Amino acid sequence: GAGVSQSPSNKVTEKGKDVELRCDPISGHTALYWYRQSLGQGLEFLIYFQGNSAPDKSGLPSDRFSAERTGGSVSTLTIQRTQQEDSAVYLCASSLEWSAGIQYFGAGTRLSVL
Amino acid sequence: GENVEQHPSTLSVQEGDSAVIKCTYSDSASNYFPWYKQELGKRPQLIIDIRSNVGEKKDQRIAVTLNKTAKHFSLHITETQPEDSAVYFCAASRETSGSRLTFGEGTQLTVNP
């Protein structure tokens, strides 16, 4: 694909509901990252997938957050029992394994929890 | 883990002036330092990066300098234009498989016509 694709672009949900956010990385990129960006803030690392290795989940803020990556490509970030403080833009990025530092970002999913 | 601090948080300059944004990092093993530009409502985009084997890198009006001894790096934008207005993020990582970027808090740059 031309770039990292995320869906939906906007998601409004009620407190307590579960949400799923999707990320399609650039074709051939084996590394995939999820970040959270609250209003006016920097990028907070959530989770990282690299090939077939176990993901680095050290940034997930609570056990309500989980992510999976099926077939080494598409990833889904799931937030269970959403809270108002989960409202943020969730950004996905991907990179080539051989150059793990250069990350290309998707446009993000703006999540609003009412 | 790595900690990246970025200053200033806001910067306002006149068109044509230079802008400098500074970052410090804590992990002496970090060896890759990218800068991202994020326009309002848009995705972050890489504008320049530097690796620890060089001290300076330039790309037209943008330059980045790195001082590994002091563990700080800076973004320099010369001849600023209104379209340079955006939030700029610095980041640091160990450029190895399994690495992740740690970002600074961002600098809101405003270039006044």
Side-chain angles (χ1 to χ4, degrees):
Chain A
V4 178
S5 178
Q6 290 187 246
S7 61
S9 55
N10 284 282
K11 177 71 177 178
V12 181
T13 190
E14 294 179 352
K15 178 182 173 181
K17 295 285 181 69
D18 298 352
V19 295
E20 284 189 353
L21 313 179
R22 176 188 168 103
C23 173
D24 244 307
I26 293 172
S27 178
H29 282 195
T30 59
L32 187 148
Y33 310 77
W34 283 98
Y35 296 90
R36 179 168 70 176
Q37 187 174 31
S38 301
L39 187 63
Q41 300 296 310
L43 284 80
E44 175 190 4
F45 168 78
L46 296 177
I47 188 169
Y48 161 64
F49 296 89
Q50 172 62 58
N52 295 321
S53 303
D56 176 354
K57 304 180 182 180
S58 59
L60 295 178
S62 77
D63 58 9
R64 297 186 296 105
F65 288 72
S66 63
E68 62 178 22
R69 189 178 185 192
T70 55
S73 182
V74 172
S75 177
T76 302
L77 177 69
T78 301
I79 309 173
Q80 296 179 307
R81 306 180 301 281
T82 52
Q83 303 295 312
Q84 289 184 332
E85 60 263 30
D86 299 334
S87 297
V89 175
Y90 290 82
L91 289 162
C92 175
S94 71
S95 67
L96 286 168
E97 179 177 5
W98 63 267
S99 183
I102 303 174
Q103 298 183 20
Y104 299 89
F105 283 83
T109 294
R110 181 174 298 278
L111 175 66
S112 300
V113 182
L114 304 179
Chain B
E2 175 67 277
N3 181 53
V4 176
E5 295 190 354
Q6 183 171 347
H7 301 281
S9 56
T10 61
L11 179 59
S12 181
V13 300
Q14 289 300 119
E15 183 176 0
D17 288 350
S18 295
V20 180
I21 302 170
K22 299 181 179 181
C23 289
T24 61
Y25 61 99
S26 61
D27 184 357
S28 58
S30 288
N31 56 8
Y32 176 66
F33 308 93
W35 287 87
Y36 284 82
K37 175 184 179 182
Q38 187 176 30
E39 297 177 48
L40 189 62
K42 302 283 185 64
R43 71 190 73 191
Q45 294 201 317
L46 180 72
I47 56 171
I48 195 167
D49 57 12
I50 191 168
R51 291 173 173 81
S52 60
N53 57 340
V54 297
E56 182 175 3
K57 183 176 179 180
K58 293 183 72 172
D59 183 2
Q60 299 182 335
R61 297 185 297 108
I62 295 173
V64 57
T65 58
L66 171 65
N67 184 327
K68 285 217 71 179
T69 303
K71 290 191 284 188
H72 67 69
F73 57 111
S74 300
L75 177 71
H76 304 252
I77 306 174
T78 59
E79 301 172 26
T80 53
Q81 301 167 2
E83 51 265 38
D84 294 331
S85 296
V87 178
Y88 291 81
F89 293 98
C90 63
S93 78
R94 303 181 183 189
E95 196 179 21
T96 59
S97 183
S99 67
R100 67 184 218 202
L101 286 172
T102 300
F103 285 85
E105 289 295 307
T107 296
Q108 173 68 62
L109 173 64
T110 302
V111 180
N112 301 301

